Amino acid sequence: MDVVELHRRASEEFVRRVTAIHPDQWDGPTPCTDWDVRALVNHVVAEERWTIPLMSGRTIEDVGSTLDGDLLGDNPADAATHAAHAAQLAVTEPVLTGATVQLSYGPEQASEYAYQLAADHLVHGWDLAVASGQDPRIDPELVAGVAAWFKDKEQLYRFGGMIADRVGNGFTDPQDELIGAFGRDPCWTQAHAAVALLGEAFGRGDVDAIMAQLTPDCVFESTSPAPDGTRFEGADAVREQWRKLFDETSESKFETEESLVLGDRAVVRWRFSWLDPDGSPGHVRGVDVLRLRAGRVAEKLSYVKG
């Protein structure tokens, strides 16, 4: 498949994903932990809006900040559709004539830029699908086209910090292999997002953010007193325990060491550190066994190394 067709079909697939998003899903989490659904779509629309001036020979300095901020307005699906079609038209001639474009890292072939855009549309289309409960399967021809291009680019992208570490190796499914190469877990669900966001909130000591990832009827079992700990039921009781923990512990910090999500269950290894009243550091390492429901944590059972 030539890159013009690859770009067109990848952007059309992305638009199809956008138009299927329900109104109550725009602030939902995505595999890109820094972006909710709306921010992710805005990112791709910005790329499409940038495509037009860059493919016409303008520079990043020429465009400046004119495409910063929200580009979706009141109708994100329409904004994404119009931006995609305009970008498709802008790609064809520069690629066919072998033009050069000016990117952030310097001059580049228009065809290479088109491959980058096609890959971004394809992977972010998968992000949207799993974030909004759509069928995540991608057209196998598009997977093959992007995978063939990316094979020799993966290490360069990772060295440049543009993608996360590869997830898994040797997948039998070409789509899973491609998604893993781009630093995503092919098995990602909203439960993965809840576990990640919960860990980040504990790392900041942000009780409001912690509670946002829990169900109203959540259950927490603490690690003390030995041997069984104490059980707290309901959001109010659980909130109070964590408020006290952070308020009464000096320089407290939670760090996630590893997490594993399998369906509605998760296991998280963590390290909790603090300063004693005399200024000496202390820490414990432990494990949480979590149960999830509808993308939130319903049960958190904590255990520490004795």
Side-chain angles (χ1 to χ4, degrees), residues 237-265:
V238 171
R239 174 189 288 273
E240 179 61 15
Q241 292 307 305
W242 289 332
R243 184 196 63 76
K244 289 170 59 178
L245 172 67
F246 290 113
D247 285 351
E248 297 174 5
T249 309
S250 179
E251 300 292 327
S252 59
K253 183 179 182 181
F254 273 100
E255 298 172 274
T256 298
E257 296 184 325
E258 184 181 16
S259 64
L260 175 67
V261 180
L262 294 171
D264 66 348
R265 303 305 299 268

Side-chain angles (χ1 to χ4, degrees), residues 3 9 13 27 58 80 88 106 121 125 133 151 154 161 172 182 227 237 240 252 255-256 288 300-301 303:
V3 69
R9 288 173 58 180
E13 182 145 322
D27 61 351
R58 297 179 67 190
Q88 290 167 17
H121 280 79
K151 181 179 179 181
E154 181 180 349
T172 57
F182 272 91
E240 179 61 15
S252 59
E255 298 172 274
T256 298
D288 283 343
K300 182 179 185 290
L301 311 180
Y303 304 85

Side-chain angles (χ1 to χ4, degrees), residues 85-152:
H85 290 166
Q88 290 167 17
L89 293 173
V91 162
T92 303
E93 183 176 351
V95 170
L96 294 181
T97 59
T100 298
V101 297
Q102 299 296 323
L103 302 181
S104 59
Y105 56 83
E108 183 59 270
Q109 291 295 305
S111 57
E112 172 63 20
Y113 181 35
Y115 270 116
Q116 296 173 11
L117 294 169
D120 218 43
H121 280 79
L122 205 68
V123 174
H124 284 320
W126 179 88
D127 291 334
L128 283 186
V130 295
S132 57
Q134 301 178 44
D135 182 354
R137 297 306 303 172
I138 305 171
D139 184 332
E141 290 186 349
L142 301 184
V143 171
V146 170
W149 164 80
F150 193 59
K151 181 179 179 181
D152 296 328

Side-chain angles (χ1 to χ4, degrees), residues 41-117:
V41 173
N42 192 71
H43 162 75
V44 176
V45 169
E47 283 200 333
E48 291 164 337
R49 297 280 296 274
W50 272 97
T51 301
I52 299 165
L54 293 181
M55 283 292 190
S56 68
R58 297 179 67 190
T59 67
I60 291 174
E61 290 73 20
D62 292 334
V63 179
S65 61
T66 59
L67 297 177
D68 290 353
D70 179 66
L71 301 174
L72 302 184
D74 295 332
N75 195 327
D78 276 358
T81 301
H82 294 153
H85 290 166
Q88 290 167 17
L89 293 173
V91 162
T92 303
E93 183 176 351
V95 170
L96 294 181
T97 59
T100 298
V101 297
Q102 299 296 323
L103 302 181
S104 59
Y105 56 83
E108 183 59 270
Q109 291 295 305
S111 57
E112 172 63 20
Y113 181 35
Y115 270 116
Q116 296 173 11
L117 294 169

